[in-house]
């Protein structure tokens, strides 16, 4: 056979030449039908899988797939109808059990049948696009059992009943629940949702609606929240044990809506137990619970935040506008710090440091601190108190903590320039009286202010420190070049650069001879090395230490102001002096002189001078003489008062006026800066830009800005546009 | 031309022959049968583009009379109504209004005019067209203390006010816009009165 041509081999399906015997199909089907019966009757042990499979295979092969398929459906349906009757007949608790049992049986049977009919599944059903065996088994169960009218509603009600029982505290068979509900899930998501989940959610909604109403009438806020939280936990637990995980979000939404969202306002505003009560009494646990529950619902946290904000603003407003509380500035500020600490703790402990709450806290404080126009002054006085004595003995770290807290309050101030003015005054007094507790603390605060406000804010303050340092050096140089002065009174001079220190009018006064000689020597020394400068003695700011010998031999060292020194030294040359004589000799202005004499003569324990008549006030007809009987248990007696104090009304007006005057050039500078870069700008925008630029220092008044604009127009820096009145133009 | 110059010399003959001085102007006014505080004299000055209040130069005199085609007093007198109409034309009036203010700045570097003079000037210049506004504003100027003088910006602001703002309701006035502050204050004062 070597001549055979090469041919392509073809593999063809092996075609059985079989007799298409209709009876063959029937017979085969009968075998299978019987097998299905046996499977359903739990009597499958005697069956041969191989044989049944082959029978099914053959039917499909010989084009009897449809008969097989239809037969399978009909048979299974019949069985299921029977089963549902049995289930329906079950009484009470066993209803569910029966159902569950039958379902399990059906599943087992279905699997076996599916295995037997595998070939049909893969070929006939595939090509005809009919429903596969397994899903069909489920559909049939669904249609014939679950949706069987006598079962459908009863099943649902039974399940819901059990849930209800569990909610009221009874123990139920969770395993059974799980099994039955899993059945729904297996039958398909839409079956689960339609036949169970949706009714379940509706029933739950009803349940919680009623329950929440009961609770809200009978519980206080804290208890109610505890209950709500408990219910929420229970539902999550329920889902974990016997529901589809996808239901968790849905059921928790129901609880959140019914128990929290619907009663939000009432809960938050509850008298004597709501949010305000909790805040006032530091109920961290309850607050934390409220936060965690409310954050689950829309606008929940917004509600809490709003109530907290209005409470803070109200509380703050009362605090700052209460005249009682304004009497002691240090107390005033301490109270503010305490309140801030308190709410800070609430936010960090109970509200998880939520930034939006932090912001609400800050904006509330900013709002009410500025309701009291004296806040800037008071904060400066608080700092003054701390830097004088309050921080004594504090460790560095603690000092930083207090200063940082003060900076926090400072940031809230709208009128930072007012604070600057007072701070400068108080700092000057501290430096000159040598009364600062810690140089490091002073410097540290200046650095913080510089970081916050920029270089211009603190440059003058730093100038003050520099002057103090330079003065020390100057003094060394002075005494170095005048060794003969080491005997006699010691003069310590602080040379202050005029621009850096708060302006004080120089008050005239006649210094005692010993002192004025020294002063002149110093003046010549200083001007010798600093030509072109002008020195003016600030006699109203100085102090003196005088050694005094009294009638009975008491020796004391008196620490007094310069004015007081001038007055006292007069008594070295006269036993008794009238007011007029003192006035003439010292040339101290009347109001200062009266204050000075008052502190020397009318203060218990410090009255080194006596006055006639012994009235409280200084009269122009009074006369004075040394109090020879003066005693004090201390050798050193301090009489001068150069301590920073809360300003009197007229002083306050004056300071306010100076601040207003200082603001004018700043406003103008801002206007010019803006116009220079923009060239043309309309009115509203100028106001907005200027306000924004000045905001770190103070809140600019639109009327004041307008005034400055008009002034600049008059001085030809700006002009109005000739066609559009709203526009301004920069004139180079 | 000669007659115009001749007329000039007639009024200028007192002190110096290159200027008509205030006395000369007074005589001119009585010849024209117009009170010398009348607005038409101011309008004449405007027509002349006269620079110094109370004085007319030859050049200025020539300028006006030539334009008005008047070389005798009676012709000049007859030309006055026409002049007034010309000035009151909207295109000219704004210019005249500005001129009126400048004309009263007598000192070098002066930028503002005292309240009393302003009140008179307002009356002369705007009295016939905006009687009510002028009267109320003048009242206000006299009692307020914020401003002792008025500058050009404020002067112009008032004219715009009269033209744009309905009076006396002032319902379309907004103090938050760019109106000069003095008008904001006037507005507040009016509101208080109306309340």
């Amino acid at each position: 056979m070597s001549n055979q041509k090469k041919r392509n081999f073809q593999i063809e399906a092996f075609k059985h030449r079989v007799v298409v015997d209709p009876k063959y199909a029937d017979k085969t089907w009968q075998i299978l039908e019987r097998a299905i019966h046996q499977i359903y009757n739990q009597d499958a042990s005697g069956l041969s899988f191989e044989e049944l499979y082959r029978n099914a295979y053959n039917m499909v092969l010989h084009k009897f797939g449809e008969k097989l398929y239809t037969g399978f459906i009909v048979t299974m349906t019949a069985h299921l109808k029977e089963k549902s009757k049995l289930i329906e007949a079950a009484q009470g608790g066993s209803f569910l059990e029966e159902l569950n049992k039958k379902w399990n049986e059906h599943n087992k049977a279905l699997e076996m049948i599916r295995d037997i009919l595998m070939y049909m599944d893969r070929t006939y059903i595939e090509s005809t696009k009919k429903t596969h065996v397994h899903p069909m088994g489920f559909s049939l169960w669904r249609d014939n059992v679950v949706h069987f009218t006598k079962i459908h509603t009863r099943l649902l009600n039974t399940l819901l009943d059990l849930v209800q029982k569990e909610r009221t505290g009874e123990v139920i068979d969770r395993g059974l629940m799980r099994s039955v509900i899993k059945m729904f899930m297996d039958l398909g998501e839409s079956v689960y949702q339609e036949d169970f989940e949706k009714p379940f959610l509706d029933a739950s909604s009803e349940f919680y609606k009623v329950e929440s109403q009961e609770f809200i009438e009978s519980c206080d806020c804290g208890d109610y929240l505890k209950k709500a939280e408990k219910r929420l936990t229970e539902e999550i637990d329920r889902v974990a044990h016997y529901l589809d995980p996808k239901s968790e979000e849905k059921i928790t939404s129901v609880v959140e809506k019914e128990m929290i969202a619907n009663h939000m306002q009432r809960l938050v505003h509850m008298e004597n137990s709501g949010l305000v009560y909790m805040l006032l009494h530091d109920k961290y646990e309850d607050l934390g619970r409220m936060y965690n529950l409310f954050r689950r619902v829309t606008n929940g946290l917004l509600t809490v935040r709003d109530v907290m904000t209005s409470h803070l603003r109200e509380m703050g407003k009362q605090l700052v506008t209460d005249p009682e509380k304004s009497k002691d500035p240090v107390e005033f500020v301490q109270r503010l710090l305490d309140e801030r600490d308190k709410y800070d703790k609430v936010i960090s402990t109970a509200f998880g440091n939520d930034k939006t709450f932090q912001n609400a806290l800050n904006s509330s404080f900013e709002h009410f601190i500025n309701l009291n126009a004296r806040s800037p002054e008071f904060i400066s006085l608080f700092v003054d108190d701390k830097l004088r004595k309050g921080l004594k003995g504090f460790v560095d770290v603690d000092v930083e903590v207090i200063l940082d807290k003060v900076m926090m309050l400072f940031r809230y101030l709208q009128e930072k320039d007012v604070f600057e003015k007072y701070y400068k005054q108080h700092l000057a007094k501290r430096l000159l009286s040598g009364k600062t507790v810690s140089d490091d603390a002073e410097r540290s605060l200046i650095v913080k202010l510089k970081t916050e406000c920029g270089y211009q804010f603190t440059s003058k303050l730093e100038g003050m420190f520099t002057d103090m340092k330079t003065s020390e050096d100057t003094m060394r140089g002075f005494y170095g070049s005048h060794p003969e002065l080491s005997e006699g009174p010691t003069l310590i001079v602080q040379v202050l650069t005029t621009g850096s220190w708060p302006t004080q009018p120089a008050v005239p006064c006649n210094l005692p001879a010993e002192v004025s000689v020294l002063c002149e020597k110093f003046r010549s020394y200083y001007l010798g090395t600093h030509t072109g400068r002008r020195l003016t003695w600030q006699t109203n700011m100085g102090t003196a230490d005088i050694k005094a010998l009294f009638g009975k031999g008491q020796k004391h060292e008196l620490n007094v102001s310069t004015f007081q020194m001038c007055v006292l030294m007069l008594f070295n040359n006269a036993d008794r002096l009238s007011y007029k004589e003192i006035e003439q000799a010292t040339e101290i202005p009347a109001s200062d002189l009266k204050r000075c004499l008052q502190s020397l003569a009318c203060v218990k324990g410090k009255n080194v001078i006596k006055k006639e008549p012994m009235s409280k006030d200084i009269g122009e007809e009074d006369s004075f003489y040394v109090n020879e009987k003066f005693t004090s248990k201390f050798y050193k007696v301090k009489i001068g008062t150069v301590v920073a104090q809360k300003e009197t009304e007229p002083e306050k007006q004056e300071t306010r006026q100076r601040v207003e005057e200082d603001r004018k050039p700043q406003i103008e500078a801002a206007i010019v800066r803006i116009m220079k870069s923009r060239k043309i700008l309309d009115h509203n925008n100028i106001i907005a830009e200027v306000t924004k630029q000045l905001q770190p220092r103070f809140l600019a008044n639109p009327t004041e800005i307008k005034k400055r604009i008009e002034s600049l127009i008059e001085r030809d820096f700006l002009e109005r546009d000739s066609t559009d009145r709203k526009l301004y133009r920069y004139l180079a | 031309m000669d007659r115009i110059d001749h007329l000039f010399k007639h009024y200028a003959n007192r002190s110096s022959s290159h200027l008509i001085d205030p006395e000369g102007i007074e005589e001119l006014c009585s010849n024209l049968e117009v009170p010398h505080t009348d607005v038409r004299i101011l309008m004449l000055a405007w027509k002349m583009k006269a620079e110094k209040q109370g004085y007319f130069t030859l050049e200025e005199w020539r300028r006006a009379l030539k334009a008005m085609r008047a070389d005798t007093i009676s012709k000049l007198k007859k030309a006055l109504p026409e002049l007034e109409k010309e000035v009151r034309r909207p295109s000219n009036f704004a210019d005249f209004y500005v001129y009126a203010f400048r004309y009263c700045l007598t000192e070098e570097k002066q930028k503002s005019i005292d309240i009393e003079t302003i009140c008179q000037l307002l009356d002369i210049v705007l009295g016939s067209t905006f009687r009510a506004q002028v009267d109320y504003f003048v009242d206000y100027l006299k009692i307020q203390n914020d401003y002792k003088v008025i500058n050009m910006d404020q002067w112009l602001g008032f004219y715009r006010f009269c033209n744009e703002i309905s009076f006396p309701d002032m319902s379309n006035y907004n103090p938050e816009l760019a109106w000069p502050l003095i008008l904001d204050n006037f507005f507040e004062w009016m509101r208080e009165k109306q309340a």
Side-chain angles (χ1 to χ4, degrees):
Chain A
M1 308 273 122
S2 48
N3 290 343
Q4 258 185 335
K5 275 199 206 149
K6 276 207 185 125
R7 280 203 314 209
N8 285 339
F9 272 99
Q10 275 179 304
I11 313 266
E12 290 181 7
F14 180 60
K15 287 195 175 84
H16 242 324
R17 275 201 133 252
V18 179
V19 177
V20 183
D21 177 2
K23 292 219 189 87
Y24 167 77
D26 285 332
K27 268 194 234 147
T28 319
W29 169 245
Q30 272 167 24
I31 296 172
L32 288 166
E33 191 184 11
R34 199 170 1 172
I36 292 177
H37 281 307
Q38 278 174 275
I39 289 171
Y40 264 109
N41 293 332
Q42 315 284 329
D43 193 16
S45 51
L47 296 173
S48 158
F49 175 74
E50 202 273 328
E51 190 192 323
L52 295 169
Y53 184 88
R54 202 165 4 102
N55 279 316
Y57 170 83
N58 283 333
M59 277 192 79
V60 175
L61 204 61
H62 293 118
K63 312 264 189 251
F64 288 108
E66 182 167 349
K67 185 177 170 73
L68 177 60
Y69 188 67
T70 318
F72 147 67
I73 291 175
V74 167
T75 315
M76 188 171 272
T77 305
H79 268 284
L80 291 180
K81 279 196 172 15
E82 247 184 66
K83 299 279 189 268
S84 42
K85 288 212 183 76
L86 291 173
I87 294 169
E88 187 230 335
Q91 296 297 324
S94 55
F95 170 71
L96 215 54
E97 283 168 18
E98 261 313 296
L99 177 75
N100 191 38
K101 189 157 153 251
K102 293 287 180 279
W103 164 249
N104 289 334
E105 285 169 10
H106 172 69
N107 270 320
K108 275 212 197 76
L110 181 57
E111 273 189 34
M112 277 192 230
I113 295 168
R114 197 261 323 266
D115 287 342
I116 292 170
L117 301 180
M118 177 88 79
Y119 187 74
M120 177 187 74
D121 225 10
R122 291 212 184 126
T123 53
Y124 171 74
I125 292 182
E126 270 301 319
S127 55
T128 53
K129 306 262 185 260
K130 292 206 161 101
T131 314
H132 289 273
V133 171
H134 201 203
M136 178 53 86
F138 277 179
S139 297
L140 292 176
W141 172 271
R142 178 196 65 205
D143 295 339
N144 292 294
V145 180
V146 175
H147 285 174
F148 179 38
T149 41
K150 299 212 175 114
I151 292 182
H152 192 201
T153 319
R154 187 171 163 198
L155 173 58
L156 178 63
N157 288 342
T158 310
L159 292 172
L160 292 181
D161 232 29
L162 287 170
V163 170
Q164 172 79 3
K165 283 205 172 82
E166 198 177 42
R167 282 180 179 152
T168 52
E170 281 186 47
V171 178
I172 63 170
D173 185 343
R174 282 185 153 185
L176 182 58
M177 289 292 281
R178 180 196 206 84
S179 203
V180 175
I181 289 174
K182 186 157 187 313
M183 173 191 79
F184 280 110
M185 281 156 62
D186 289 341
L187 292 177
E189 191 160 352
S190 60
V191 179
Y192 174 74
Q193 282 175 1
E194 287 299 315
D195 293 317
F196 173 72
E197 197 190 48
K198 194 171 165 308
F200 164 71
L201 291 172
D202 288 342
S204 306
S205 185
E206 264 315 301
F207 174 78
Y208 283 116
K209 203 186 293 274
V210 170
E211 185 171 84
S212 65
Q213 196 58 43
E214 271 172 36
F215 284 172
I216 202 106
E217 302 290 343
S218 60
C219 303
D220 70 30
C221 183
D223 283 340
Y224 182 95
L225 292 177
K226 280 200 186 89
K227 287 187 158 62
E229 190 181 59
K230 187 155 160 279
R231 280 303 189 198
L232 213 49
T233 316
E234 276 173 23
E235 291 301 330
I236 295 174
D237 186 67
R238 175 163 299 114
V239 171
H241 276 95
Y242 56 80
L243 299 182
D244 183 341
K246 287 205 207 73
S247 296
E248 182 178 309
E249 204 183 313
K250 299 179 195 176
I251 183 63
T252 49
S253 288
V254 167
V255 179
E256 286 156 10
K257 175 165 172 280
E258 297 301 331
M259 294 211 84
I260 301 170
N262 287 352
H263 299 284
M264 232 165 34
Q265 291 294 333
R266 193 162 162 186
L267 285 167
V268 162
H269 286 113
M270 223 180 242
E271 286 232 19
N272 297 331
S273 69
L275 179 63
V276 174
Y277 173 87
M278 291 179 191
L279 289 172
L280 289 173
H281 294 90
D282 298 326
K283 299 273 180 212
Y284 299 120
E285 205 194 298
D286 288 337
L287 286 166
R289 186 169 297 115
M290 181 182 272
Y291 182 81
N292 284 323
L293 288 174
F294 276 57
R295 81 200 295 197
R296 290 166 164 270
V297 302
T298 321
N299 291 334
L301 288 186
L302 184 65
T303 307
V304 176
R305 209 164 52 230
D306 283 349
V307 173
M308 183 185 89
T309 303
S310 47
H311 161 71
L312 277 176
R313 287 189 182 209
E314 196 39 55
M315 178 233 21
K317 180 167 158 208
Q318 278 179 20
L319 200 66
V320 305
T321 51
D322 181 355
E324 274 302 308
K325 304 239 164 39
S326 311
K327 282 206 177 122
D328 180 354
V330 178
E331 256 308 298
F332 178 91
V333 175
Q334 187 60 52
R335 206 34 221 287
L336 289 175
L337 289 175
D338 291 342
E339 285 299 328
R340 195 164 186 308
D341 278 345
K342 176 196 165 84
Y343 285 96
D344 219 22
K345 188 153 176 230
V346 166
I347 295 179
S348 63
T349 315
F351 295 162
N353 270 324
D354 186 321
K355 236 200 159 80
T356 57
F357 279 81
Q358 274 292 351
N359 291 344
L361 176 64
N362 285 337
S363 80
S364 303
F365 264 76
E366 188 176 327
H367 166 81
F368 65 71
I369 274 189
N370 290 301
L371 290 177
N372 185 335
R374 300 195 82 163
S375 290
E377 186 195 348
F378 287 178
I379 295 179
S380 181
L381 284 169
F382 179 84
V383 171
D384 182 76
D385 179 78
K386 292 285 169 253
L387 288 171
R388 271 177 192 278
K389 49 180 160 63
L391 290 175
K392 211 174 196 148
F394 273 50
V395 172
D396 279 348
V397 174
D398 293 339
V399 168
E400 285 297 307
V401 167
I402 296 221
L403 293 182
D404 282 334
K405 288 197 179 161
V406 169
M407 281 310 292
M408 208 165 48
L409 290 184
F410 171 79
R411 263 178 226 118
Y412 294 142
L413 290 174
Q414 268 170 0
E415 303 197 291
K416 294 186 168 73
D417 59 344
V418 175
F419 172 86
E420 189 195 356
K421 218 171 204 59
Y422 283 111
Y423 187 75
K424 213 159 134 179
Q425 283 173 21
H426 300 156
L427 174 64
K429 289 197 179 125
R430 280 202 299 280
L431 288 175
L432 293 176
S433 62
K435 282 276 180 292
T436 181
V437 121
S438 154
D439 236 15
D440 286 340
E442 294 273 4
R443 294 256 179 208
S444 174
L445 187 55
I446 303 239
V447 168
K448 290 183 204 294
L449 286 170
K450 180 150 80 169
T451 313
E452 190 65 30
C453 304
Y455 168 71
Q456 300 115 313
F457 197 94
T458 53
S459 60
K460 295 212 178 113
L461 300 175
E462 286 177 349
M464 288 159 76
F465 280 95
T466 313
D467 281 348
M468 299 299 291
K469 199 93 232 197
T470 313
S471 298
E472 274 176 38
D473 295 337
T474 309
M475 287 319 299
R476 263 196 293 275
F478 175 63
Y479 275 104
S481 58
H482 289 273
E484 77 283 7
L485 294 176
S486 53
E487 306 281 321
T490 312
L491 179 69
I492 300 182
V493 182
Q494 275 120 6
V495 183
L496 316 177
T497 312
T498 312
S500 305
W501 294 73
T503 41
Q504 300 255 17
V507 182
C509 106
N510 280 341
L511 298 168
E514 309 93 310
V515 177
S516 62
V517 159
L518 265 180
C519 290
E520 269 317 299
K521 282 213 163 79
F522 178 81
R523 183 196 288 277
S524 354
Y525 167 78
Y526 186 83
L527 293 177
T529 43
H530 298 94
T531 43
R533 291 194 185 175
R534 202 176 60 171
L535 287 178
T536 316
W537 292 106
Q538 300 278 127
T539 49
N540 53 333
M541 288 164 83
T543 57
D545 290 325
I546 309 181
K547 289 204 173 77
L549 179 63
F550 290 89
K552 303 257 174 76
Q554 314 96 294
K555 286 201 182 123
H556 288 285
E557 187 177 294
L558 309 174
N559 174 255
V560 297
S561 70
T562 304
F563 287 164
Q564 288 163 340
M565 167 194 72
C566 296
V567 169
L568 288 176
M569 294 300 280
L570 293 175
F571 288 95
N572 274 345
N573 299 321
D575 285 333
R576 200 185 174 90
L577 288 163
S578 71
Y579 176 86
K580 291 247 158 49
E581 285 171 313
I582 298 177
E583 193 181 26
Q584 230 172 4
T586 59
E587 285 187 29
I588 296 175
S591 58
D592 292 298
L593 183 56
K594 287 194 180 133
R595 247 207 310 265
C596 167
L597 287 168
Q598 195 150 38
S599 58
L600 288 171
C602 306
V603 179
K604 198 163 163 211
K606 311 261 171 119
N607 51 339
V608 289
I609 299 278
K610 277 186 112 113
K611 143 176 122 76
E612 233 164 62
M614 298 240 283
S615 51
K616 223 175 18 145
D617 298 316
I618 307 292
E620 306 211 350
E621 307 302 316
D622 294 355
S623 43
F624 302 84
Y625 53 97
V626 176
N627 180 9
E628 297 295 346
K629 296 213 189 88
F630 175 76
T631 53
S632 169
K633 54 183 175 180
F634 301 110
Y635 171 64
K636 288 196 183 172
V637 182
K638 184 162 149 24
I639 305 183
T641 43
V642 199
V643 186
Q645 277 165 342
K646 195 173 79 163
E647 282 192 326
T648 58
E649 232 358 87
E651 284 173 328
K652 195 177 77 167
Q653 300 285 15
E654 215 196 299
T655 307
R656 168 61 50 171
Q657 226 173 335
R658 271 189 264 149
V659 168
E660 293 297 339
E661 278 307 309
D662 284 347
R663 285 180 180 176
K664 288 185 182 159
Q666 291 178 65
I667 297 178
E668 287 194 358
I671 296 172
V672 170
R673 243 195 323 270
I674 291 167
M675 289 307 295
K676 200 165 174 180
S677 84
R678 308 287 218 101
K679 303 283 184 251
I680 299 186
L681 199 56
D682 70 283
H683 184 82
N684 285 338
N685 272 321
I686 280 202
I687 302 279
E689 289 276 340
V690 170
T691 308
K692 194 165 124 196
Q693 269 206 20
L694 295 170
Q695 184 258 336
R697 297 220 13 108
F698 60 88
L699 190 60
N701 181 332
T703 306
E704 199 50 53
I705 300 177
K706 217 189 212 190
K707 267 202 198 134
R708 294 295 104 221
I709 292 178
E710 286 183 14
S711 172
L712 288 168
I713 290 178
E714 212 176 309
R715 288 179 280 149
D716 295 326
F717 280 90
L718 303 174
E719 66 177 2
R720 284 188 209 270
D721 183 276
S722 47
T723 39
D724 184 352
R725 192 194 6 90
K726 284 195 302 292
L727 290 179
Y728 298 103
R729 191 173 288 125
Y730 180 70
L731 296 171
Chain B
M1 195 47 151
D2 272 336
R3 284 214 264 197
I4 290 179
D5 282 9
H6 183 76
L7 203 53
F8 180 81
K9 284 206 178 69
H10 172 83
Y11 291 103
N13 69 8
R14 322 274 142 171
S15 43
S16 62
S17 46
H18 350 279
L19 282 176
I20 299 181
D21 67 6
E23 265 188 59
I25 292 184
E26 233 182 286
E27 197 191 334
L28 173 66
C29 289
S30 82
N31 289 161
L32 289 172
E33 287 171 2
V34 165
H36 94 244
T37 49
D38 191 282
V39 67
R40 286 168 289 175
I41 297 302
L42 191 54
M43 289 180 175
L44 188 58
W46 173 79
K47 194 70 184 166
M48 291 184 191
K49 297 200 205 297
E51 283 191 17
K52 193 163 172 184
Q53 190 189 49
Y55 294 88
F56 296 149
T57 67
L58 177 58
E59 199 182 317
E60 290 164 358
W61 178 264
R62 277 181 185 160
R63 187 180 289 132
L65 270 71
K66 207 161 137 204
M68 290 164 76
R69 291 190 227 282
D71 53 9
T72 64
I73 277 299
S74 68
K75 279 197 203 155
L76 186 57
K77 186 163 164 203
K78 286 206 182 86
L80 286 181
E82 187 57 47
L83 174 64
E84 193 174 344
K85 246 202 314 201
E86 184 194 342
V87 171
R88 289 207 185 276
R89 249 184 271 142
S91 49
N92 288 325
F93 195 79
D95 188 66
F96 172 67
Y97 185 77
V98 170
Y99 175 82
F101 185 89
R102 287 221 186 90
Y103 193 62
C104 296
L105 299 173
T106 48
E107 306 300 317
E108 205 191 311
K109 295 201 184 172
Q110 183 184 359
K111 290 207 166 152
S112 317
I113 301 175
D114 64 280
I115 293 288
E116 205 185 311
T117 309
I118 285 289
C119 291
Q120 290 169 3
L121 199 60
L122 280 171
D123 188 50
I124 295 175
V125 174
L126 294 180
S128 51
T129 31
F130 298 112
R131 183 79 264 153
Q133 286 94 320
V134 168
D135 283 350
Y136 277 97
F137 192 53
V138 160
D139 266 357
Y140 173 69
L141 286 177
K142 291 195 171 135
I143 62 154
Q144 58 82 38
N145 290 318
D146 299 312
Y147 297 92
K148 303 228 177 351
V149 294
I150 297 294
N151 62 29
M152 175 65 91
D153 185 57
Q154 291 159 320
W155 174 253
L156 287 173
F158 183 69
Y159 181 57
R160 283 198 192 108
F161 178 89
C162 290
N163 279 312
E164 293 176 25
I165 302 298
S166 75
F167 199 81
D169 61 291
M170 303 180 295
S171 53
N172 57 339
Y173 184 85
N174 182 353
E176 279 175 28
L177 295 181
W179 295 100
L181 203 52
I182 193 175
L183 290 176
D184 293 345
N185 298 344
F186 172 58
F187 171 77
E188 293 296 330
W189 177 77
M190 286 289 293
R191 280 276 180 261
E192 264 169 54
K193 260 160 68 100
Q194 288 160 347

